[in-house]
Amino acid sequence: MTVPEKPVLEGLEAKWTARWEADGTYRFDRSRPRDEVYAIDTPPPTVSGSLHVGHVFSYTHTDVIARFQRMRGMAVFYPMGWDDNGLPTERRVQNYYGVRCDPSLPYDHAFEPPDKPGKQPISVSRPNFIELCVRLTVEDEKVFEHLWRYLGLSIDWSMTYATIAKPAQRISQLMFLRLLQRNLAYQVEAPTLWDVDFKTAVAQAELEDREQPGAYHRLQFHKPGGGTVEIETTRPELLPACVALVAHPDDERYKPLFGTDVVTPIFGARVPVKAHPLADPEKGSGIAMICTFGDVTDVVWWRELKLPVRAIIQPNGTLGAVPWGAPGWESIDAPRAQVAYDQLAGLSAKKAQTAIAELLKQSGDLRGDTRPITHNVKFYEKGDRPLEIVTSRQWFIKTLDFREQLLERGRELQWHPSYMRGRYESWVNGLNGDWCISRQRFFGVPFPVWYPLRADGSIDYEHQLYPDESRLPIDPSTDLPDGYSAAQRGQPNGFIGDPDIMDTWATSSVSPQIVTGWERDPALFARTFPMDLRPQAHDIIRTWLFSTVLRSHLENQSLPWKHAAISGWVLDPDRKKMSKSKGNVVTPLANLEEYGSDGVRYWAARGGPGVDTAFDVGQMKVGRRLAMKVLNASKFALTGGVAAGNVTHPLDRSMLLQLAALVDDATESLNEYEYTRVLDRTEAFFWSFCDNYLELVKSRRYGDMGEAGAASANRALQASLSVLLRLFAPYLPFVTEEVWSWSHDGSIHGAPWPSSAELAGIAGIAGTDTTSAGCLAAAIDVLGEVRRTKSEAKRPLKAMISRAVVRDTPERLAQLEGARADVAAAANIHALLFEPADAFAVSVEFAEVEAVTADPPA
RNA sequence: GGGCGGUUAGCUCAGUUGGUAGAGCACCGGCUUUACACGCCGGCUGUCACAGGUUCGAGCCCUGUACCGCCCACCA
């Protein structure tokens, strides 16, 4: 037993992180059977800058659960991943090194980036670019790891993965090829959501609505026999791409027009008038123009009404050239159409809108003034301009066919909090297409596919070439398909690699397979899959959670994990979500250093599952104070005398009974992921323990009332402290470890979770001990009354009471009897008398001379 | 348009199956007390958003409303 004279919190993080690493405290024991393993599918944070306090918040929640499970005897499988795929990394690398990726370039083994980025970006091959991404992210990952260790996450740091590293690439490609074999992945040329700045396809899950100013333009179409039909549109620049008008089948106003043609203004294209139930008679004039493609509704109409394509928006967002009069672009006045259109070609959609409005005004086809509105427009979540819909060749994973099965998986999964399932269900119910997983970017997992080139050099998409699984991972831009030589790349009768990469969610959605050793380490896989827990925030339910469920459903015919613990967001004091883009992010390391990791973890752990929580340094201060209190109370509890034998004193037994009830409640709650409640209850108990029990027992444990009473007190103090430390250990890993080390050799984080049975054994207590049960509560009531009286009399707390009378029911007085001497000593009462009465009351008489010490009552 | 969560002390939030409204912070007052002044003791603070209903009894259950936040939707 070595208790420091003056225990401090400073330096505990450095001391214990080093010790845990040296001792392998959190090393996963892979020899344990599946039912003794608790496996966590850690979210790999995006490595493109710095961690913020939101990460600290949610990762702490996971760590509390991990530590609880470990103490319950589970082998905790708790790896850490880094998500270095994707656009954020790509942009960062471009700026950091001053390079640009050109996938057509060959790999340069000797390439070194300049010390400082030049003005003109240097073009590099995709493998070179990826090397630079890896080089930069390795540095970022070191910073992240340092912060995680400092925070005290009980991760097994021998098990880290990066989503761009070869093992993860291999799994991504392997799972993709397996889907291809089963026709669950496919390639098709079709209208796709498209970001015109990034020039890539994006998925439905990456959409967000943004309120934008817009304007209704009322345009007139001409009936061949004379007369006009008026439509309203917010996108008049798509008029050249108009392929039909559409109204509701029951709309009497337009019924006569169904089956007839009308002519577009200015461009003179004949387009049919169609009926479709999606057309809303209430909207605009009740009849709409269908363009290829203005929005997703256009795609639905185009597909269901079997309309032709007139595409004008190019991948870069400008209007492309159109040969009016040529097949597909027929016009009743092609020269006029051409003259008008040539004024639009090359303009961005936004500028084209202004230009065409002017043309329509001149021709008289713009009816009335435009009506400004604000409406929701779909954006790529990382994009700056509205999405367009562009026809392109993309890879998809089938999802629509599995909607019902995915809903069933959602019901099978245990959600914490349970209402988060609703988010998942509404997303699955709202799916409107298969999942587009190809991106026209560079930094990510490439598709392991090549295409033969025909004699004329055109690409033969029908006869795709795949690598043998044993070769994975491959990069088709540098690796060769079997039977071809490097010289044949890009040549007629040769081959070409698929230029695209997988969406970042397509690779992170296989995180369970990556970490559990699917198709790599069968013994590990058998012990860890399906995993136990997916912790994540609620904003990525539709992306990461959904896609992970989908992939495991398709590949493993199971859920990837049993539980999903959904954490909330950290809000700034104005109740806004903290995020980098809003510039209100707090860098967490400074908080960790100021309040201690335990203090910050305390704040984080008070945010319950799914609950958005305000950033609050006040709570961190409270957490730090609690840690300090643990140090000092422990010092007191451990520096007593002999602690032999059983706990015999009623007050001690009473305290231990209450503690036993707390332990049962804590165990049950933590099993249900209710970590907030457990911290709350444990803290409340601990504070009362310090303020009341320690004060009550102080005199006796110093031996003022004999050896037996002291031994009981000391035994109770040690037992209760041991239990309290272990209850706090998941939350305050540093201070509890420090205190534990004063009297133990091993780590508290490997100690068994406390049980009420353990306490019963020490104290010889049982639930039927009703007299002891109420003893502590009764003693606290009396102590409180005396304290209040002294405070109101503005006397010192040590002021002596010559005579105090407690009036209470006989039952309560019987309970109090056991603590009579303790109460008298703690309150400094010379003569403590009991009188039976109906209601509780305490009357006191102050002693004339305050220096007199109390005689120990007989 | 559909759905979810929230509304409790000045602030941040607890409140198990319905049974006398709680904690911390803040504020006020007191205390050199041998675990802790990074401390201790005490005090003040409420139309539990609103309106109905069920019940002996509602912060909690039911119906409706308002506001805040979020999710989803084929928002010409």
Side-chain angles (χ1 to χ4, degrees), chain A residues 643-820:
Chain A
N646 270 358
V647 173
T648 53
H649 195 278
L651 187 77
D652 304 337
R653 291 156 71 106
S654 177
M655 183 273 293
L656 291 175
L657 273 173
Q658 287 186 19
L659 181 58
L662 172 69
V663 168
D664 286 340
D665 183 74
T667 307
E668 195 180 326
S669 297
L670 274 168
N671 271 325
E672 296 300 318
Y673 297 82
E674 305 216 15
Y675 51 85
T676 303
R677 172 190 172 92
V678 174
L679 176 59
D680 196 60
R681 299 297 163 94
T682 306
E683 184 190 6
F685 182 96
F686 176 68
W687 225 262
S688 173
F689 175 81
C690 291
D691 294 344
N692 300 310
Y693 177 73
L694 292 187
E695 294 300 328
L696 283 165
V697 83
K698 201 174 257 179
S699 175
R700 176 159 53 88
R701 73 80 57 98
Y702 280 137
D704 296 349
M705 301 165 200
E707 273 181 32
S712 176
N714 282 318
R715 186 80 180 99
L717 282 170
Q718 288 191 9
S720 55
L721 181 71
S722 167
V723 167
L724 283 166
L725 287 176
R726 281 176 284 154
L727 290 177
F728 275 132
Y731 303 90
L732 313 173
F734 291 103
V735 73
T736 52
E737 183 76 315
E738 171 68 14
V739 171
W740 193 257
S741 74
W742 298 344
S743 55
H744 296 77
D745 285 332
S747 170
I748 191 173
H749 303 298
W753 185 251
S755 69
S756 52
E758 164 191 339
L759 283 169
I762 289 164
I765 51 174
T768 51
D769 185 354
T770 49
T771 305
S772 290
C775 181
L776 179 59
I780 288 172
D781 285 346
V782 175
L783 186 59
E785 276 303 306
V786 177
R787 282 169 170 169
R788 175 168 32 252
T789 306
K790 289 179 176 178
S791 185
E792 283 169 359
K794 299 207 186 294
R795 300 265 197 143
L797 277 178
K798 68 172 184 181
M800 189 179 173
I801 306 290
S802 55
R803 183 170 181 273
V805 180
V806 177
R807 293 180 180 83
D808 210 335
T809 61
E811 293 77 23
R812 286 261 296 176
L813 291 178
Q815 291 170 341
L816 188 57
E817 184 56 44
R820 183 196 286 263

Side-chain angles (χ1 to χ4, degrees), chain A residues 389-444:
Chain A
I389 293 171
V390 171
T391 298
S392 58
R393 181 171 289 273
Q394 305 291 348
W395 287 103
F396 292 82
I397 293 178
K398 282 189 184 173
T399 52
L400 238 35
D401 292 350
F402 303 101
R403 196 196 298 255
E404 284 311 314
Q405 293 169 41
L406 291 169
L407 287 171
E408 182 52 39
R409 291 292 185 206
R411 288 187 284 270
E412 202 183 317
L413 182 62
Q414 294 183 53
W415 298 77
H416 310 280
S418 57
Y419 62 79
M420 285 295 176
R421 174 184 291 124
R423 303 263 182 115
Y424 173 87
E425 290 190 345
S426 58
W427 172 252
V428 174
N429 282 320
L431 287 171
N432 58 25
D434 287 338
W435 178 20
C436 177
I437 58 166
S438 46
R439 298 290 179 273
Q440 287 66 57
R441 304 305 304 171
F442 318 111
F443 186 48

